[in-house]
Amino acid sequence: MISVIVPVYNGERFIGRCLRSLLHQTLSKEKYEIIVINDASKDKTAYALELFKEDIKIINNEKNLGLPASLNKGIISSNSKFIIRVDSDDYVSTHFLEILFEFLYQNEYMHAASCDYVLVDDNEKVLSRKNCLTDPIGCGIMFRAHYFKEIGLYDEELLRHEDADLRKRFESKYKIFRVEMPLYRYRRHSKNI
């Protein structure tokens, strides 16, 4: 039902935390897959992903394609009804997928659902809680896949603000509804884009 798209480049430090949070969801594992796109990382990301290879689908880019192209590669490889992006340095609550999925599944008229998030530092200390509509990020939004694909996926020419561009194109035709629960943990650190 759901494809969780996780792009990673040189993410050895945080990818384990991210994947553990996604593998320990209250939603049944039969209802979702985790697709990780390793964008030709030069650190030990490939080794870190091998530790999870039984539970995730790994796509290895032979050369660095950039974030938008890696995201598109993951999305195109999916056949799920719902798509959601989680960045490799972030992590989520145990109810993350279940709540967003049920919210959309029970409300057929909704095109996408986004949850509030908590901003954390390197040590996972909470810095602040954020409203996903007034302080939007590119992650933590579950889309109905056919609407997402209809708008043309991520613009691969944009190496920054690809999420803002996608959101603008999506919201020109459809609506992202708010789930007023902080289910996503957005990590702020020195290597954030």
Side-chain angles (χ1 to χ4, degrees), residues 40-94:
S41 295
K42 295 176 181 158
D43 64 358
K44 293 185 174 102
T45 295
Y47 171 76
L49 294 178
E50 280 295 305
L51 301 174
F52 297 91
K53 68 181 178 185
E54 303 298 320
D55 299 308
I56 64 175
K57 177 179 176 182
I58 303 169
I59 298 172
N60 287 302
N61 292 345
E62 289 184 26
K63 65 177 187 172
N64 185 269
L65 301 177
L67 181 58
S70 294
L71 286 164
N72 287 345
K73 225 174 162 178
I75 293 162
I76 289 165
S77 77
S78 161
N79 289 317
S80 299
K81 293 184 177 183
F82 301 93
I83 301 280
I84 191 162
R85 169 184 165 185
V86 173
D87 280 353
S88 63
D89 51 356
D90 300 336
Y91 59 102
V92 297
S93 80
T94 56

Side-chain angles (χ1 to χ4, degrees), residues 9 42 44 57 90 94 97 123 133 137 162 176 182 185 190:
Y9 176 70
K42 295 176 181 158
K44 293 185 174 102
K57 177 179 176 182
D90 300 336
T94 56
L97 291 177
N123 301 311
L133 297 184
I137 55 174
E162 78 295 328
I176 298 173
R185 305 293 182 264
S190 59

